Amino acid sequence: MQTRTVLLPLLAGTLLGVRASAQRFVSLDGLGPPSLTAVPAPPAATPPPCAPLPPPCLLPFLPPFPPGVVPPSFGGEAIDEATGIAYVTDGAGIFTSVAYPGCVPGPVFPLPAWPAGPCGPVGGPPIVAMCDSAVPGAIWVVNALGVLSLIPVAPGPPLAQTIVPPAIPPGTVTGITFDPATGTLWLTGAFTPFAVGLPPIPVGMFPCGMLPFGPLIPIPACLPPPFIGITVNSAVAPGPIPALTVSNGLMTANLATGACTCPVSPPAPLPTTDIDFADVPFSYGAGCGCGPPTIGSAGGYPVLGNGAFTITGIGFGPGPGVAALALSIAPGPFPLACGCVVNLFPGFLIFLPAVAVGPGGPPPCPGTAAVPVGVPAGPPALVGIPLYFEWVRIPGATPCGFELSDGLEVVVGFP
């Protein structure tokens, strides 16, 4: 049995003051074999925040491709926050999708499978960058000639096409990102000292043309060129300057703060070729019980409008029982006299409706549970809010008489 619950703005003023760590800063690395590597987000200037999160998501179905040290930087990735799917290309004709961070390979399509649009072929020249979009099942790609295309994930005609504006010299575009808060596309050029904004591009076939560019945001002088990637932090509420991060393959710069940060993906053998933020829930602490129980998530990431986001649990003891999902505004630990540790702050605690523990896991601790926790489509003030979850299972073969899972931190983001 499952119970559907909707996340609401709980004590928004208090929550907005809590710093969240339930994000990953992902980079696409092109050698040995290609992989998606992550560090805790946002990247910071000193360790340990720069330490990689092992293991990397290996992409052995992609052949090695040139890293982003010589523009244009071939290859790119796009992470769909609503589904948790990462789309990857080496720029030379292979396009695929993987479940991230599960790293499960998906379909592989040759780039020529996409028909040409009014501006020309999508994958004829090498693709140098890609990003997600507001259109379900579609991503933005840009090739070395500056053709910018919105394409369906399954091969089909481009949904929109245009030409990179003259603010970036032809043949030097290296990065693209979509800001879901404003509907704006942002581009980088190898030696262009600013990020270039594009106005919203209408979906639909139209005669090929060059759109006028919008705002230009300087790249901090502490980040030397060539620039090879740009991304937006979808878990930051809109501000005067978008939460953009630019990479030169070795370091990153935050365009809103002007700060330059640690290496993109240590210990990558060579510089990265694309970057992205992913609002991946973060588990912490330890459980108490049979497995002990562990908490997880499914149905994509906790982004606005994602009604499929689900909190899962596995590793509960055998036999009948019920499990309730506890929610707090801050993490623990909070030791109990009976020997278990609560991984939530007990000062403000909500228990969601209990669900029956099922038998779907491996023995000797087969108990599982799941609760869909839909994220509403608004208000935008929810963005950036961290929430903390933990399972409580009754009965449990522990001195406490119940089982506890580890904790899970999630941060609400834009889709």
Side-chain angles (χ1 to χ4, degrees):
M1 182 179 68
Q2 292 184 335
T3 301
R4 177 169 294 278
T5 307
V6 176
L7 290 179
L8 299 175
L10 302 169
L11 297 182
T14 301
L15 292 171
L16 286 172
V18 181
R19 183 183 182 276
S21 62
Q23 274 189 303
R24 299 183 186 185
F25 185 72
V26 182
S27 62
L28 174 63
D29 304 306
L31 298 180
S35 64
L36 293 174
T37 305
V39 299
T46 58
C50 295
L53 291 170
C57 185
L58 297 178
L59 307 173
F61 39 85
L62 289 181
F65 54 93
V69 290
V70 178
S73 57
F74 297 168
E77 53 72 40
I79 297 179
D80 185 341
E81 296 279 342
T83 62
I85 297 294
Y87 303 102
V88 187
T89 177
D90 67 346
I94 297 177
F95 176 91
T96 188
S97 63
V98 297
Y100 187 82
C103 307
V104 179
V108 178
F109 304 110
L111 290 177
W114 280 269
C119 298
V122 171
I127 284 181
V128 297
M130 65 196 314
C131 70
D132 57 348
S133 73
V135 179
I139 57 174
W140 286 102
V141 300
V142 58
N143 64 29
L145 294 184
V147 177
L148 181 61
S149 307
L150 178 65
I151 62 173
V153 171
L159 305 176
Q161 260 193 346
T162 188
I163 302 294
V164 171
I168 298 179
T172 68
V173 62
T174 56
I176 182 174
T177 192
F178 176 76
D179 182 1
T182 62
T184 304
L185 280 167
W186 292 91
L187 302 168
T188 51
F191 297 96
T192 304
F194 38 75
V196 178
L198 294 180
I201 299 174
V203 174
M205 304 301 290
F206 52 89
C208 183
M210 184 178 294
L211 288 179
F213 56 88
L216 304 177
I217 300 180
I219 296 174
C222 56
L223 188 74
F227 310 114
I228 59 86
I230 185 171
T231 188
V232 64
N233 189 339
S234 59
V236 174
I241 299 178
L244 296 169
T245 293
V246 173
S247 167
N248 65 0
L250 292 173
M251 305 288 289
T252 62
N254 185 317
L255 271 57
T257 66
C260 289
T261 61
C262 67
V264 175
S265 57
L270 279 177
T272 184
T273 190
D274 204 3
I275 55 174
D276 213 338
F277 283 96
D279 299 330
V280 180
F282 172 77
S283 59
Y284 64 93
C288 180
C290 184
T294 57
I295 192 170
S297 65
Y301 304 150
V303 295
L304 295 181
N306 184 10
F309 182 65
T310 300
I311 304 293
T312 61
I314 193 170
F316 298 108
V322 296
L325 191 61
L327 164 65
S328 182
I329 63 172
F334 186 77
L336 300 176
C338 56
C340 293
V341 174
V342 177
N343 292 294
L344 303 180
F345 171 66
F348 178 78
L349 205 61
I350 290 179
F351 285 91
L352 305 185
V355 296
V357 175
C365 304
T368 63
V371 170
V373 185
V375 185
L382 287 172
V383 170
I385 290 180
L387 298 170
Y388 301 84
F389 294 91
E390 183 172 18
W391 285 104
V392 181
R393 195 260 196 183
I394 300 175
T398 71
C400 300
F402 52 82
E403 294 182 289
L404 295 172
S405 72
D406 51 350
L408 187 74
E409 180 188 65
V410 306
V411 60
V412 179
F414 285 103

